[in-house]
Amino acid sequence: MPSTMNTPKISTTTAVLGIAAFSGTGKTTLIEQLLPLLTRRGLRTGLIKASHHCIEPDPPGKDSYRLRRAGASQLVLSTPGRSICYTEYPSNHERKLHEQLQLLNQTVLDLVLVEGFRDAPINKIELHRKSYPKPFLFNNDCHVIAMAWDGNPGIELPAHLSELDINNPGQIVDWIIRWMNSQ
């Protein structure tokens, strides 16, 4: 089992599972398929998605935009059917997963999926497609516990990794529930 990542795991009150892969592998597409299946199985699932892009969620001139720009460190925009929590960081702030997890109300969640934060010390399902040959992450990440892929002739996975079909979200959800129950 790889041991190059010796950072201790992040402690949470909710099961946290990363979906790890290189950009273009289909992380968002798979998560989009997993979420309704997890909901049908009775799980309340939160999601943290990291982006490498600076995104301005508010149109300039709107009240919440103006209040954030005026100096609010955090702002909750409460609307019918939705609340949005904005947290402003200094421009040189390095994002940390544990900070993002603290923004979620874990008391109402059963599971948090994480897309991005590939190097975070959390359990992960690695995604891999033979049509999109990228290096395997499990070779350098001891937190990868499962591989969802479409196979790759001639490559044998280490025995400690659960093997999942990347094109079978139902199988992946079954595995996630078994994993959660074993925690």
PDB file of all heavy atoms in Angstrom, residues 54-75 86-91:
ATOM      1  N   CYS A  54     -11.755  31.437 -10.222  1.00  0.00           N
ATOM      2  CA  CYS A  54     -12.435  32.392  -9.355  1.00  0.00           C
ATOM      3  C   CYS A  54     -13.805  32.652  -9.961  1.00  0.00           C
ATOM      4  O   CYS A  54     -13.905  33.056 -11.120  1.00  0.00           O
ATOM      5  CB  CYS A  54     -11.646  33.697  -9.257  1.00  0.00           C
ATOM      6  SG  CYS A  54     -10.163  33.533  -8.273  1.00  0.00           S
ATOM      7  N   ILE A  55     -14.831  32.366  -9.209  1.00  0.00           N
ATOM      8  CA  ILE A  55     -16.204  32.500  -9.697  1.00  0.00           C
ATOM      9  C   ILE A  55     -16.891  33.569  -8.868  1.00  0.00           C
ATOM     10  O   ILE A  55     -16.865  33.522  -7.642  1.00  0.00           O
ATOM     11  CB  ILE A  55     -16.959  31.160  -9.567  1.00  0.00           C
ATOM     12  CG1 ILE A  55     -16.269  30.090 -10.426  1.00  0.00           C
ATOM     13  CG2 ILE A  55     -18.422  31.319  -9.956  1.00  0.00           C
ATOM     14  CD1 ILE A  55     -16.751  28.692 -10.146  1.00  0.00           C
ATOM     15  N   GLU A  56     -17.496  34.529  -9.522  1.00  0.00           N
ATOM     16  CA  GLU A  56     -18.269  35.551  -8.816  1.00  0.00           C
ATOM     17  C   GLU A  56     -19.728  35.134  -8.885  1.00  0.00           C
ATOM     18  O   GLU A  56     -20.354  35.219  -9.934  1.00  0.00           O
ATOM     19  CB  GLU A  56     -18.070  36.929  -9.457  1.00  0.00           C
ATOM     20  CG  GLU A  56     -18.879  38.026  -8.799  1.00  0.00           C
ATOM     21  CD  GLU A  56     -18.686  38.099  -7.287  1.00  0.00           C
ATOM     22  OE1 GLU A  56     -17.579  38.395  -6.841  1.00  0.00           O
ATOM     23  OE2 GLU A  56     -19.660  37.846  -6.562  1.00  0.00           O
ATOM     24  N   PRO A  57     -20.291  34.621  -7.772  1.00  0.00           N
ATOM     25  CA  PRO A  57     -21.655  34.107  -7.800  1.00  0.00           C
ATOM     26  C   PRO A  57     -22.735  35.186  -7.821  1.00  0.00           C
ATOM     27  O   PRO A  57     -23.874  34.913  -8.152  1.00  0.00           O
ATOM     28  CB  PRO A  57     -21.747  33.282  -6.524  1.00  0.00           C
ATOM     29  CG  PRO A  57     -20.743  33.912  -5.613  1.00  0.00           C
ATOM     30  CD  PRO A  57     -19.647  34.431  -6.484  1.00  0.00           C
ATOM     31  N   ASP A  58     -22.375  36.407  -7.426  1.00  0.00           N
ATOM     32  CA  ASP A  58     -23.349  37.497  -7.360  1.00  0.00           C
ATOM     33  C   ASP A  58     -23.139  38.468  -8.514  1.00  0.00           C
ATOM     34  O   ASP A  58     -22.007  38.842  -8.803  1.00  0.00           O
ATOM     35  CB  ASP A  58     -23.154  38.319  -6.081  1.00  0.00           C
ATOM     36  CG  ASP A  58     -23.865  37.752  -4.889  1.00  0.00           C
ATOM     37  OD1 ASP A  58     -24.840  37.018  -5.078  1.00  0.00           O
ATOM     38  OD2 ASP A  58     -23.443  38.057  -3.769  1.00  0.00           O
ATOM     39  N   PRO A  59     -24.220  38.919  -9.111  1.00  0.00           N
ATOM     40  CA  PRO A  59     -24.066  40.004 -10.090  1.00  0.00           C
ATOM     41  C   PRO A  59     -23.635  41.286  -9.378  1.00  0.00           C
ATOM     42  O   PRO A  59     -24.190  41.623  -8.322  1.00  0.00           O
ATOM     43  CB  PRO A  59     -25.465  40.169 -10.688  1.00  0.00           C
ATOM     44  CG  PRO A  59     -26.210  38.935 -10.306  1.00  0.00           C
ATOM     45  CD  PRO A  59     -25.580  38.422  -9.042  1.00  0.00           C
ATOM     46  N   PRO A  60     -22.628  41.970  -9.889  1.00  0.00           N
ATOM     47  CA  PRO A  60     -22.235  43.245  -9.273  1.00  0.00           C
ATOM     48  C   PRO A  60     -23.444  44.167  -9.132  1.00  0.00           C
ATOM     49  O   PRO A  60     -24.306  44.229  -9.998  1.00  0.00           O
ATOM     50  CB  PRO A  60     -21.215  43.813 -10.265  1.00  0.00           C
ATOM     51  CG  PRO A  60     -20.646  42.599 -10.929  1.00  0.00           C
ATOM     52  CD  PRO A  60     -21.799  41.630 -11.029  1.00  0.00           C
ATOM     53  N   GLY A  61     -23.506  44.838  -7.992  1.00  0.00           N
ATOM     54  CA  GLY A  61     -24.606  45.762  -7.723  1.00  0.00           C
ATOM     55  C   GLY A  61     -25.700  45.169  -6.859  1.00  0.00           C
ATOM     56  O   GLY A  61     -26.447  45.904  -6.216  1.00  0.00           O
ATOM     57  N   LYS A  62     -25.816  43.840  -6.820  1.00  0.00           N
ATOM     58  CA  LYS A  62     -26.813  43.217  -5.942  1.00  0.00           C
ATOM     59  C   LYS A  62     -26.417  43.429  -4.480  1.00  0.00           C
ATOM     60  O   LYS A  62     -25.244  43.575  -4.151  1.00  0.00           O
ATOM     61  CB  LYS A  62     -26.939  41.712  -6.238  1.00  0.00           C
ATOM     62  CG  LYS A  62     -27.623  41.416  -7.553  1.00  0.00           C
ATOM     63  CD  LYS A  62     -29.062  41.829  -7.457  1.00  0.00           C
ATOM     64  CE  LYS A  62     -29.847  41.436  -8.671  1.00  0.00           C
ATOM     65  NZ  LYS A  62     -31.209  41.923  -8.604  1.00  0.00           N
ATOM     66  N   ASP A  63     -27.408  43.421  -3.593  1.00  0.00           N
ATOM     67  CA  ASP A  63     -27.154  43.698  -2.180  1.00  0.00           C
ATOM     68  C   ASP A  63     -26.078  42.785  -1.594  1.00  0.00           C
ATOM     69  O   ASP A  63     -25.161  43.251  -0.905  1.00  0.00           O
ATOM     70  CB  ASP A  63     -28.431  43.546  -1.356  1.00  0.00           C
ATOM     71  CG  ASP A  63     -29.449  44.633  -1.648  1.00  0.00           C
ATOM     72  OD1 ASP A  63     -29.108  45.595  -2.365  1.00  0.00           O
ATOM     73  OD2 ASP A  63     -30.580  44.511  -1.152  1.00  0.00           O
ATOM     74  N   SER A  64     -26.186  41.474  -1.826  1.00  0.00           N
ATOM     75  CA  SER A  64     -25.217  40.553  -1.232  1.00  0.00           C
ATOM     76  C   SER A  64     -23.806  40.804  -1.784  1.00  0.00           C
ATOM     77  O   SER A  64     -22.824  40.714  -1.047  1.00  0.00           O
ATOM     78  CB  SER A  64     -25.643  39.100  -1.433  1.00  0.00           C
ATOM     79  OG  SER A  64     -25.954  38.857  -2.777  1.00  0.00           O
ATOM     80  N   TYR A  65     -23.699  41.139  -3.039  1.00  0.00           N
ATOM     81  CA  TYR A  65     -22.411  41.486  -3.634  1.00  0.00           C
ATOM     82  C   TYR A  65     -21.840  42.711  -2.929  1.00  0.00           C
ATOM     83  O   TYR A  65     -20.673  42.723  -2.514  1.00  0.00           O
ATOM     84  CB  TYR A  65     -22.586  41.755  -5.132  1.00  0.00           C
ATOM     85  CG  TYR A  65     -21.339  42.227  -5.842  1.00  0.00           C
ATOM     86  CD1 TYR A  65     -20.477  41.304  -6.441  1.00  0.00           C
ATOM     87  CD2 TYR A  65     -21.023  43.575  -5.928  1.00  0.00           C
ATOM     88  CE1 TYR A  65     -19.338  41.732  -7.104  1.00  0.00           C
ATOM     89  CE2 TYR A  65     -19.886  44.012  -6.586  1.00  0.00           C
ATOM     90  CZ  TYR A  65     -19.045  43.083  -7.175  1.00  0.00           C
ATOM     91  OH  TYR A  65     -17.913  43.507  -7.822  1.00  0.00           O
ATOM     92  N   ARG A  66     -22.656  43.733  -2.772  1.00  0.00           N
ATOM     93  CA  ARG A  66     -22.205  44.971  -2.149  1.00  0.00           C
ATOM     94  C   ARG A  66     -21.785  44.741  -0.696  1.00  0.00           C
ATOM     95  O   ARG A  66     -20.788  45.294  -0.224  1.00  0.00           O
ATOM     96  CB  ARG A  66     -23.301  46.034  -2.230  1.00  0.00           C
ATOM     97  CG  ARG A  66     -23.541  46.503  -3.670  1.00  0.00           C
ATOM     98  CD  ARG A  66     -24.727  47.440  -3.849  1.00  0.00           C
ATOM     99  NE  ARG A  66     -24.889  48.397  -2.776  1.00  0.00           N
ATOM    100  CZ  ARG A  66     -26.068  48.720  -2.255  1.00  0.00           C
ATOM    101  NH1 ARG A  66     -27.183  48.156  -2.700  1.00  0.00           N
ATOM    102  NH2 ARG A  66     -26.158  49.615  -1.299  1.00  0.00           N
ATOM    103  N   LEU A  67     -22.546  43.921   0.029  1.00  0.00           N
ATOM    104  CA  LEU A  67     -22.238  43.663   1.438  1.00  0.00           C
ATOM    105  C   LEU A  67     -20.946  42.854   1.596  1.00  0.00           C
ATOM    106  O   LEU A  67     -20.151  43.108   2.511  1.00  0.00           O
ATOM    107  CB  LEU A  67     -23.413  42.961   2.113  1.00  0.00           C
ATOM    108  CG  LEU A  67     -24.680  43.825   2.210  1.00  0.00           C
ATOM    109  CD1 LEU A  67     -25.870  42.979   2.618  1.00  0.00           C
ATOM    110  CD2 LEU A  67     -24.464  44.993   3.166  1.00  0.00           C
ATOM    111  N   ARG A  68     -20.728  41.897   0.711  1.00  0.00           N
ATOM    112  CA  ARG A  68     -19.468  41.143   0.754  1.00  0.00           C
ATOM    113  C   ARG A  68     -18.298  42.064   0.444  1.00  0.00           C
ATOM    114  O   ARG A  68     -17.271  42.027   1.108  1.00  0.00           O
ATOM    115  CB  ARG A  68     -19.496  39.970  -0.226  1.00  0.00           C
ATOM    116  CG  ARG A  68     -20.390  38.833   0.224  1.00  0.00           C
ATOM    117  CD  ARG A  68     -20.303  37.604  -0.670  1.00  0.00           C
ATOM    118  NE  ARG A  68     -20.575  37.879  -2.075  1.00  0.00           N
ATOM    119  CZ  ARG A  68     -19.655  37.831  -3.049  1.00  0.00           C
ATOM    120  NH1 ARG A  68     -18.408  37.516  -2.786  1.00  0.00           N
ATOM    121  NH2 ARG A  68     -19.993  38.079  -4.291  1.00  0.00           N
ATOM    122  N   ARG A  69     -18.463  42.893  -0.559  1.00  0.00           N
ATOM    123  CA  ARG A  69     -17.405  43.839  -0.940  1.00  0.00           C
ATOM    124  C   ARG A  69     -17.167  44.886   0.152  1.00  0.00           C
ATOM    125  O   ARG A  69     -16.068  45.398   0.275  1.00  0.00           O
ATOM    126  CB  ARG A  69     -17.745  44.543  -2.255  1.00  0.00           C
ATOM    127  CG  ARG A  69     -17.789  43.633  -3.447  1.00  0.00           C
ATOM    128  CD  ARG A  69     -16.394  43.196  -3.825  1.00  0.00           C
ATOM    129  NE  ARG A  69     -16.471  42.366  -5.023  1.00  0.00           N
ATOM    130  CZ  ARG A  69     -15.811  41.241  -5.176  1.00  0.00           C
ATOM    131  NH1 ARG A  69     -15.030  40.812  -4.242  1.00  0.00           N
ATOM    132  NH2 ARG A  69     -15.932  40.547  -6.275  1.00  0.00           N
ATOM    133  N   ALA A  70     -18.187  45.160   0.951  1.00  0.00           N
ATOM    134  CA  ALA A  70     -18.052  46.137   2.034  1.00  0.00           C
ATOM    135  C   ALA A  70     -17.268  45.564   3.207  1.00  0.00           C
ATOM    136  O   ALA A  70     -16.825  46.310   4.074  1.00  0.00           O
ATOM    137  CB  ALA A  70     -19.429  46.607   2.495  1.00  0.00           C
ATOM    138  N   GLY A  71     -17.091  44.228   3.250  1.00  0.00           N
ATOM    139  CA  GLY A  71     -16.254  43.650   4.294  1.00  0.00           C
ATOM    140  C   GLY A  71     -16.833  42.512   5.090  1.00  0.00           C
ATOM    141  O   GLY A  71     -16.196  42.066   6.050  1.00  0.00           O
ATOM    142  N   ALA A  72     -18.022  42.004   4.751  1.00  0.00           N
ATOM    143  CA  ALA A  72     -18.564  40.859   5.496  1.00  0.00           C
ATOM    144  C   ALA A  72     -17.660  39.647   5.266  1.00  0.00           C
ATOM    145  O   ALA A  72     -17.427  39.253   4.131  1.00  0.00           O
ATOM    146  CB  ALA A  72     -19.984  40.549   5.043  1.00  0.00           C
ATOM    147  N   SER A  73     -17.161  39.060   6.346  1.00  0.00           N
ATOM    148  CA  SER A  73     -16.333  37.857   6.226  1.00  0.00           C
ATOM    149  C   SER A  73     -17.179  36.655   5.843  1.00  0.00           C
ATOM    150  O   SER A  73     -16.730  35.769   5.130  1.00  0.00           O
ATOM    151  CB  SER A  73     -15.615  37.569   7.540  1.00  0.00           C
ATOM    152  OG  SER A  73     -14.690  38.581   7.825  1.00  0.00           O
ATOM    153  N   GLN A  74     -18.404  36.610   6.368  1.00  0.00           N
ATOM    154  CA  GLN A  74     -19.366  35.589   5.973  1.00  0.00           C
ATOM    155  C   GLN A  74     -20.708  36.268   5.773  1.00  0.00           C
ATOM    156  O   GLN A  74     -21.030  37.241   6.458  1.00  0.00           O
ATOM    157  CB  GLN A  74     -19.504  34.487   7.022  1.00  0.00           C
ATOM    158  CG  GLN A  74     -18.371  33.498   7.005  1.00  0.00           C
ATOM    159  CD  GLN A  74     -18.750  32.195   7.675  1.00  0.00           C
ATOM    160  OE1 GLN A  74     -19.341  32.182   8.748  1.00  0.00           O
ATOM    161  NE2 GLN A  74     -18.411  31.097   7.032  1.00  0.00           N
ATOM    162  N   LEU A  75     -21.450  35.738   4.832  1.00  0.00           N
ATOM    163  CA  LEU A  75     -22.777  36.265   4.545  1.00  0.00           C
ATOM    164  C   LEU A  75     -23.668  35.095   4.177  1.00  0.00           C
ATOM    165  O   LEU A  75     -23.275  34.241   3.383  1.00  0.00           O
ATOM    166  CB  LEU A  75     -22.704  37.259   3.377  1.00  0.00           C
ATOM    167  CG  LEU A  75     -24.025  37.885   2.950  1.00  0.00           C
ATOM    168  CD1 LEU A  75     -23.812  39.350   2.630  1.00  0.00           C
ATOM    169  CD2 LEU A  75     -24.617  37.167   1.756  1.00  0.00           C
ATOM    170  N   TYR A  86     -21.747  32.558   1.881  1.00  0.00           N
ATOM    171  CA  TYR A  86     -20.522  33.062   1.281  1.00  0.00           C
ATOM    172  C   TYR A  86     -19.498  33.225   2.395  1.00  0.00           C
ATOM    173  O   TYR A  86     -19.796  33.787   3.446  1.00  0.00           O
ATOM    174  CB  TYR A  86     -20.743  34.433   0.642  1.00  0.00           C
ATOM    175  CG  TYR A  86     -21.720  34.455  -0.502  1.00  0.00           C
ATOM    176  CD1 TYR A  86     -23.040  34.833  -0.302  1.00  0.00           C
ATOM    177  CD2 TYR A  86     -21.317  34.117  -1.784  1.00  0.00           C
ATOM    178  CE1 TYR A  86     -23.944  34.864  -1.356  1.00  0.00           C
ATOM    179  CE2 TYR A  86     -22.205  34.156  -2.842  1.00  0.00           C
ATOM    180  CZ  TYR A  86     -23.515  34.534  -2.628  1.00  0.00           C
ATOM    181  OH  TYR A  86     -24.400  34.563  -3.669  1.00  0.00           O
ATOM    182  N   THR A  87     -18.303  32.760   2.164  1.00  0.00           N
ATOM    183  CA  THR A  87     -17.203  32.978   3.082  1.00  0.00           C
ATOM    184  C   THR A  87     -16.080  33.620   2.289  1.00  0.00           C
ATOM    185  O   THR A  87     -15.620  33.061   1.296  1.00  0.00           O
ATOM    186  CB  THR A  87     -16.721  31.661   3.720  1.00  0.00           C
ATOM    187  OG1 THR A  87     -17.823  31.060   4.403  1.00  0.00           O
ATOM    188  CG2 THR A  87     -15.587  31.895   4.697  1.00  0.00           C
ATOM    189  N   GLU A  88     -15.677  34.795   2.715  1.00  0.00           N
ATOM    190  CA  GLU A  88     -14.623  35.539   2.019  1.00  0.00           C
ATOM    191  C   GLU A  88     -13.280  35.283   2.705  1.00  0.00           C
ATOM    192  O   GLU A  88     -13.186  35.314   3.926  1.00  0.00           O
ATOM    193  CB  GLU A  88     -14.939  37.038   2.035  1.00  0.00           C
ATOM    194  CG  GLU A  88     -16.250  37.409   1.364  1.00  0.00           C
ATOM    195  CD  GLU A  88     -16.259  37.175  -0.141  1.00  0.00           C
ATOM    196  OE1 GLU A  88     -15.204  37.349  -0.788  1.00  0.00           O
ATOM    197  OE2 GLU A  88     -17.335  36.822  -0.669  1.00  0.00           O
ATOM    198  N   TYR A  89     -12.273  35.006   1.905  1.00  0.00           N
ATOM    199  CA  TYR A  89     -10.923  34.774   2.402  1.00  0.00           C
ATOM    200  C   TYR A  89      -9.992  35.839   1.830  1.00  0.00           C
ATOM    201  O   TYR A  89     -10.254  36.386   0.760  1.00  0.00           O
ATOM    202  CB  TYR A  89     -10.421  33.393   1.965  1.00  0.00           C
ATOM    203  CG  TYR A  89     -11.247  32.241   2.470  1.00  0.00           C
ATOM    204  CD1 TYR A  89     -12.033  31.493   1.594  1.00  0.00           C
ATOM    205  CD2 TYR A  89     -11.236  31.881   3.809  1.00  0.00           C
ATOM    206  CE1 TYR A  89     -12.795  30.428   2.051  1.00  0.00           C
ATOM    207  CE2 TYR A  89     -11.991  30.811   4.268  1.00  0.00           C
ATOM    208  CZ  TYR A  89     -12.764  30.089   3.385  1.00  0.00           C
ATOM    209  OH  TYR A  89     -13.510  29.034   3.834  1.00  0.00           O
ATOM    210  N   PRO A  90      -8.880  36.079   2.503  1.00  0.00           N
ATOM    211  CA  PRO A  90      -7.879  36.981   1.920  1.00  0.00           C
ATOM    212  C   PRO A  90      -7.379  36.401   0.587  1.00  0.00           C
ATOM    213  O   PRO A  90      -7.410  35.186   0.374  1.00  0.00           O
ATOM    214  CB  PRO A  90      -6.746  37.002   2.955  1.00  0.00           C
ATOM    215  CG  PRO A  90      -7.334  36.450   4.209  1.00  0.00           C
ATOM    216  CD  PRO A  90      -8.482  35.582   3.814  1.00  0.00           C
ATOM    217  N   SER A  91      -6.886  37.252  -0.281  1.00  0.00           N
ATOM    218  CA  SER A  91      -6.500  36.807  -1.627  1.00  0.00           C
ATOM    219  C   SER A  91      -5.394  35.758  -1.619  1.00  0.00           C
ATOM    220  O   SER A  91      -5.306  34.950  -2.533  1.00  0.00           O
ATOM    221  CB  SER A  91      -6.083  38.001  -2.484  1.00  0.00           C
ATOM    222  OG  SER A  91      -4.980  38.649  -1.888  1.00  0.00           O
TER     223      SER A  91
END
